[in-house]
Structure formats: structure tokens, C-alpha cells
Amino acid sequence: MEIKGIHHVSAITKYAQDNYHFYTEVMGLRLVKKTVNQDDPSMYHLFYADAEGSPGTDFTFFEIPMLGSTYEGTNSISATSLRVPSDEALSFWKKRLEAEELSVEPIIARFGRQMLFFRDPEGQRLALVSDENNQGVAPGIRQETDDIPYEYAVQGLGPVYLTVPALEPTEQILVSILGFRKIDKEKNIHRFSAGQGGTGGEIHVIEDSSLPRERPGKGSVHHVAFRVHDEDELEKWVQRIQEAGLVNSGLVDRYYFKSLYFREPNHILIELATDGPGFDNDEPMDSLGESLALPPFLEDRREDIENNLKPLPTKK
């Protein structure tokens, strides 16, 4: 049993159409699955990823049109980073994002890597991290677009940031239950690593007791998911989480992967998710995301579900 790294991050958007435009046209990600929230089929669930929807590259969004603003603080997933191939790529992205009139910070060094922090149009807290000289979890499969050269393209998820008022309870779960390794820290940012490590296998935990508790809204993150190999291994994780006394979902079939959900003591929602079956479970690889995909148990409700959703583009 080993956590292999980051599987996906699921965030919240108020405007699916604008979200789709930004993450495909500006960030160059592929919409690999256009589906609905399986627990509430009235809302879109959009999956953006690398060229083949590889585990460790999925950045997903639930659309909730009635959302208010996010009031940032602790007990939160406070930033999501995306991997790019090199330091030079960060300079390309800085110019590109500034041309979109986004909030973009200067390039900085953190834990020996170059990083660029910025926000999407809804205020989603993001960063780009350079994979130059990185070793560890392999990157995803880059895709070239008309205006994003292949050598600069996003290639998966990097370190995910948690902000908590007290480190110890979260560290206990990461290290003692999930098997992460604590590597080091910079100021109040503590770095933990899983699997083969590197940018695709890290969690960075910010300890800050001065902040209020976050009130999520548009531009916030719902949960982070970590990779496990397969369903057999996930069953063992279910047992371990239960033995630890953590309230959890048990095994949940999400059709594209199997999942387990639980909250750690600082109330951050964590998912463990299998690498397969994958997004080509119900669509050919070359046409992922082009039509509304529904899991089998929702298929008999397709007409009603489609009638309640605003149309989105079918192809980038």
C-alpha cells in the first residue's frame, strides 16, 4: 500500500462556460470529460487534464451557479499548482497570463524550484511550478496548441497547498496514516512527499493560526485526491481509514475511478482514487469530452439532465 502521488484536485466554479474557455483556451488543458456531479446531476462536473487524461493531471470543476465569494482562510486547500517543463516556460506563462489581465505575482524560488503564483478569473489560487531538474512522479503527456508551444505546455498537477491553524493533526494523518514523508520546511510551509516524490507527489502545508476559517465560494477548492494503484489496494485503505477512527464514505464507484473520501482533523476533504479504469471507459481517446458523458446509473435520466444544463462547447 503506497500513495503514488496527486491524483486530482476538484474545485468550484460559478460559470462553466467561462471556466471552460480559461482552462482550455488560455491554459491549454484538454477537456477530457464533460459530465455531471454524480451526487447532484443538476450541475456540470468538468475534467481538464493532459492529452490522454492521465492520473495526476486532472483538475476538475463543479459548477454551482448560486455561489457567493470565497472568504479565504484556514482549514482549506489554498492553492493548486500545475507543472511546466522548465524555468523558461515560467517566463512564457508570466507574459501570457499578464496579457489576460490576471493577478500574477513575480516568479519566486521555493524548495529549490521556480514557481509562478497567479489567480484565474474567478480568483482561484493557482501556481505554475518548473519541472527543470525535477525527479520523481513522471509528468503527463503535453499537448501543443496553436499559441502554446509544446516545450512550454502544462504537464500535470504539482504540489497542492493546504492551510491549517495547527500543523500536528494534519501531519499525523499525512505521515502516520497515509505514509507521506516529511522532507523539510521554509518558514511556515511544511513539505511532505509520497510515492516517487518530486513535483507530482508533494503536499505543502501552511501553518497559520492568525487567519479565520475559510468560507468557500466561487474559486475555492472542494477536495484533493491521492493516487492508489487499484481497487484491491483501495479496499485495504478503506480498512486502514476505518481503523484510524476517521469517518469515511467507504468505497465509492465514480465509474472512471474508484474512490474513498474522508476528512482529516483540520476538516480538509481528502479522497483516495484508483488510477483506472480511466476516462476512455465510455468514450474513445480521440473524442474525450466532446459530448455529455453519464455513468450507467444516470443514463435513463439523460433527457432530463441535458434539458437542465446550459450547453457547453463540444470540442476545443
Side-chain angles (χ1 to χ4, degrees):
M1 292 172 60
E2 180 183 56
I3 298 296
K4 299 168 66 176
I6 307 298
H7 187 283
H8 68 266
V9 172
S10 288
I12 302 173
T13 179
K14 188 171 182 176
Y15 308 107
Q17 178 71 62
D18 294 344
N19 182 269
Y20 171 85
H21 169 78
F22 179 76
Y23 285 97
T24 59
E25 299 296 331
V26 177
M27 298 307 301
L29 302 178
R30 183 183 183 189
L31 179 68
V32 295
K33 193 62 58 179
K34 179 169 61 175
T35 185
V36 294
N37 182 344
Q38 293 182 12
D39 301 318
D40 182 357
S42 68
M43 66 177 72
Y44 276 116
H45 192 182
L46 305 178
F47 289 76
Y48 307 102
D50 71 350
E52 296 187 0
S54 309
T57 71
D58 312 331
F59 196 12
T60 93
F61 287 84
F62 301 106
E63 184 193 35
I64 307 178
M66 302 303 291
L67 280 176
S69 299
T70 293
Y71 295 86
E72 297 173 6
T74 62
N75 308 89
S76 67
I77 299 167
S78 50
T80 303
S81 66
L82 301 168
R83 301 168 66 175
V84 295
S86 65
D87 294 352
E88 183 181 354
L90 293 181
S91 297
F92 165 84
W93 280 103
K94 189 172 190 297
K95 293 177 183 177
R96 180 174 176 82
L97 296 170
E98 287 174 341
E100 294 289 325
E101 299 183 346
L102 298 172
S103 174
V104 183
E105 299 181 15
I107 296 171
I108 63 168
R110 180 168 291 172
F111 296 114
R113 305 185 187 110
Q114 296 294 300
M115 297 191 72
L116 175 66
F117 284 84
F118 67 103
R119 291 176 181 258
D120 82 358
E122 289 187 290
Q124 184 76 231
R125 292 155 284 180
L126 302 171
L128 293 168
V129 58
S130 170
D131 266 347
E132 190 157 318
N133 303 317
N134 181 61
Q135 296 180 343
V137 176
I141 301 165
R142 282 174 269 160
Q143 62 175 2
E144 187 173 12
T145 68
D146 291 341
D147 52 356
I148 302 174
Y150 178 80
E151 62 267 26
Y152 298 150
V154 173
Q155 56 184 16
L157 290 170
V160 176
Y161 282 73
L162 314 181
T163 297
V164 298
L167 175 68
E168 194 278 331
T170 298
E171 180 176 336
Q172 174 73 14
I173 297 299
L174 290 175
V175 175
S176 299
I177 305 300
L178 298 180
F180 278 75
R181 306 173 296 277
K182 186 172 184 180
I183 304 175
D184 53 11
K185 71 172 186 174
E186 287 188 5
K187 298 181 179 178
N188 65 334
I189 305 173
H190 303 256
R191 182 162 62 142
F192 298 84
S193 179
Q196 296 179 347
T199 51
E202 290 182 3
I203 292 290
H204 296 180
V205 183
I206 300 171
E207 183 179 32
D208 190 343
S209 62
S210 69
L211 298 174
R213 184 167 178 156
E214 180 158 308
R215 291 166 53 193
K218 66 178 182 179
S220 63
V221 175
H222 187 264
H223 66 267
V224 59
F226 303 139
R227 292 174 61 190
V228 303
H229 181 62
D230 58 19
E231 186 174 352
D232 289 341
E233 186 169 304
L234 186 62
E235 292 277 14
K236 297 176 183 176
W237 280 108
V238 171
Q239 183 176 353
R240 176 176 289 187
I241 296 301
Q242 289 175 340
E243 289 174 350
L246 295 167
V247 176
N248 66 90
S249 65
L251 194 149
V252 179
D253 187 352
R254 293 304 189 195
Y255 193 53
Y256 307 111
F257 42 82
K258 304 294 196 304
S259 297
L260 164 69
Y261 300 85
F262 66 95
R263 290 192 185 273
E264 52 83 57
N266 278 310
H267 205 65
I268 293 169
L269 184 60
I270 292 173
E271 176 183 354
L272 304 183
T274 60
D275 277 355
F279 294 115
D280 57 352
N281 196 26
D282 58 356
E283 293 180 300
M285 183 61 70
D286 62 0
S287 59
L288 293 179
E290 292 184 15
S291 60
L292 182 69
L294 297 176
F297 73 90
L298 290 177
E299 194 59 55
D300 62 349
R301 298 170 57 189
R302 175 176 287 274
E303 184 175 357
D304 288 340
I305 290 172
E306 289 185 335
N307 288 338
N308 286 324
L309 294 171
K310 292 182 180 179
L312 279 181
T314 57
K315 192 171 184 180
K316 175 174 176 275

